[in-house]
Amino acid sequence: MKIVRVAIAGFGGVGRATATLLLARRERYRQVHDADIRLVAVCGSRAGLADPEGLEAGRLEALEPGLSGPAFIEASGADILIEAGPSDFRTGGPGLAYLRSALSAGRDAIVISKGALVHSGPDLRALARSSGAMLKLSGAAAAALPTIDLIEHSLKGCEVLEIEGILNATTNYLLDAMMTEALGFDEALARAQAGGFAEADPRNDTEGWDTAGKLVLIANFGLDAGLTMDDLAVEGIGSVAARDIETWRTQRLVPKLVGSLVRSDGATRAAVGVRTYPMTDPLAHVSGKNKAIRITTDAMGETIAIGSGTEPLATAAAALKDLEYILTARAARATHGSGEER
Ligand SMILES: NC(=O)c1ccc[n+]([C@@H]2O[C@H](COP(=O)([O-])OP(=O)(O)OC[C@H]3O[C@@H](n4cnc5c(N)ncnc54)[C@H](OP(=O)(O)O)[C@@H]3O)[C@@H](O)[C@H]2O)c1
C-alpha cells in the first residue's frame, strides 16, 4: 500500500472540517485507492502541528505557535497540499505563496480559497503544468455544486455556449426571503447573519464579488477563457428595492443573482447581476441556500445541476472529491505512465 502525505494550510472552519473528514475516510482510501493517507501537517496563520507518521483527530486541537508558512508545509514532506486560508482577490492572499511553493516543487494542490486562483489562476495553472503537479479546485468553484467537473467530465467534448450560475448561497437566501416572506433587505440580512450564513461584513456576497470570483474560476479552469475580474460587469443585490420585489411578485417572476457567461466567435463575455425567471424555469425553484448552474452546449443542450449541503462539511467533501481524483490519476500514472488532465 502506498503512503500519501497530505498537509492543510488554513485551519479555520473549513480546514478543520476537511481534516476531520479526511481522517474519518482513511479506511475508504485504503480500500478504494490502496492508499495509506497520512495528515502530516496543519497550520493557521501563526501556529500548526506536524508529524511524519500522521496526525490523529484527537491531536488537532492544540496547535503549536510558530509552525506556519510555506516552508513549514514544505518541510513536512507532504505530497498533496490542501489550501483553505482566507480569500483575497486583490493580493491572492496567503494561499498564493503556499500554492507557488507546492506547485513549483511538483506537489499536487487542492484549493478551497478563491483568492490566489482569481488573482493568479493562469500562472498557477502554468506552474502546475510545467512541474507535472495536479491542481484541483472544486471547493473554490462553488464547492458542493459541481461546476468544472460537469464541464470536464459530464460534458466532455461539447462546446460550451452559455453558463448561468446561482453561485452564492447567501444572496440566494436573501432574495428568497425578500420574495417569499416579504422581508426587507436589512431584515433578511440580519436573519442570515444570526443564522451564521452571512458574514458580519456581507459586501463580498451582496455586491456580487463572490459570484464573480467563482465565475472567473469556472471560465478560466473549465473553459480556458483567460478572464480577469476587470473583464466582468458586476452588480449585486443592494439595488433591489421593495417596489422591484412587488413588481416581480405580481408578474410571477423570481429574481436570482446570476453569474452569466456567453461564448461566441472565440470571445467570452461574462457578468454578474440580478436576473428574473418565470416559474416554468427550473432556476426559479432554486430556493434558500441552494446553488445551481445551467450549462448550454452545442451538442447536449441544457444541463442543470442544483446542489447545496451543510457547511463546512459540504465544502470539505468537495475538496476530498478532488483528493480522490488525484489518487485515481496517480494510480493511472503509476500503471500507464500518464495521468488525467489537470
Ligand atoms: N465556509 C465555507 O463554507 C466555504 C465554502 C467554500 C469556500 N470557502 C473558502 O474557504 C476558505 C476558508 O474558509 P473558513 O470558513 O475556514 O475561514 P476561517 O474560519 O476564517 O479560516 C481561515 C484560516 O486561514 C488561516 N490563515 C490566515 N492566514 C494564514 C497564513 N498566512 N497561513 C496559514 N493559514 C492562514 C487562519 O489562521 P488563524 O486561525 O491563525 O487566523 C484560519 O485558520 C476561505 O477562503 C473561504 O472563502 C469557505
Side-chain angles (χ1 to χ4, degrees):
M1 183 173 302
K2 57 195 171 291
I3 295 171
V4 180
R5 297 175 181 82
V6 176
I8 301 178
F11 209 53
V14 172
R16 283 176 186 274
T18 305
T20 303
L21 191 60
L22 177 92
L23 294 174
R25 287 182 173 175
R26 285 187 71 193
E27 189 52 35
R28 170 181 166 78
Y29 301 137
R30 282 193 193 96
Q31 287 184 5
V32 176
H33 298 281
D34 196 29
D36 176 5
I37 299 286
R38 297 190 185 172
L39 180 62
V40 293
V42 301
C43 73
S45 65
R46 288 176 301 272
L49 278 177
D51 185 339
E53 296 307 312
L55 297 159
E56 297 298 334
R59 284 184 60 198
L60 298 176
E61 286 314 312
L63 303 190
E64 293 172 19
L67 303 183
S68 176
F72 162 70
I73 294 291
E74 201 65 18
S76 73
D79 306 295
I80 300 174
L81 166 71
I82 300 179
E83 194 280 310
S87 281
D88 185 330
F89 296 154
R90 279 163 302 179
T91 65
L96 192 50
Y98 286 97
L99 290 170
R100 282 191 176 135
S101 164
L103 294 173
S104 60
R107 300 182 201 285
D108 301 327
I110 294 167
V111 193
I112 300 177
S113 73
K114 289 171 277 297
L117 297 170
V118 169
H119 183 268
S120 294
D123 291 350
L124 292 171
R125 212 174 179 203
L127 202 53
R129 282 204 175 114
S130 69
S131 74
M134 283 175 269
L135 172 59
K136 304 291 288 181
L137 57 142
S138 295
L145 178 74
T147 55
I148 296 170
D149 279 353
L150 274 184
I151 297 168
E152 280 189 348
H153 298 277
S154 306
L155 302 172
K156 203 175 190 71
C158 295
E159 190 184 336
V160 172
L161 305 175
E162 192 171 345
I163 293 177
E164 283 176 283
I166 300 169
L167 302 174
N168 180 269
T170 303
T171 45
N172 200 51
Y173 171 89
L174 294 174
L175 286 172
D176 201 24
M178 290 161 76
M179 282 295 285
T180 58
E181 299 180 53
L183 298 182
F185 175 81
D186 291 339
E187 210 178 342
L189 179 60
R191 187 194 283 189
Q193 285 168 327
F197 41 91
E199 304 280 337
D201 179 354
R203 289 175 296 178
N204 189 44
D205 293 324
T206 58
E207 293 180 359
W209 299 111
D210 178 75
T211 299
K214 288 170 183 160
L215 189 63
V216 164
L217 297 187
I218 294 166
N220 289 352
F221 286 86
L223 305 172
D224 233 340
L227 291 185
T228 70
M229 290 289 256
D230 291 341
D231 296 321
L232 274 67
V234 180
E235 278 182 24
I237 64 170
S239 60
V240 173
R243 67 176 178 283
D244 297 320
I245 297 286
E246 202 42 55
T247 305
W248 292 328
R249 209 181 278 129
T250 311
Q251 295 172 341
R252 292 187 57 71
L253 294 172
V254 182
K256 298 288 172 194
L257 185 69
V258 171
S260 61
L261 176 158
V262 179
R263 299 172 92 206
S264 62
D265 301 328
T268 303
R269 282 180 293 115
V272 175
V274 174
R275 287 186 173 185
T276 56
Y277 295 93
M279 296 304 286
T280 49
D281 191 313
L283 294 192
H285 300 275
V286 179
S287 59
K289 289 178 273 173
N290 278 333
K291 291 180 272 190
I293 190 163
R294 169 160 49 211
I295 305 178
T296 308
T297 64
D298 57 345
M300 290 198 199
E302 285 186 6
T303 299
I304 296 179
I306 299 174
S308 62
T310 307
E311 294 298 355
L313 176 64
T315 296
L320 296 185
K321 169 181 73 171
D322 287 348
L323 174 66
E324 296 211 31
Y325 279 131
I326 289 175
L327 294 175
T328 303
R330 281 171 161 245
R333 261 192 215 173
T335 308
H336 308 295
S338 67
E340 275 193 351
E341 71 184 56
R342 48 196 63 91

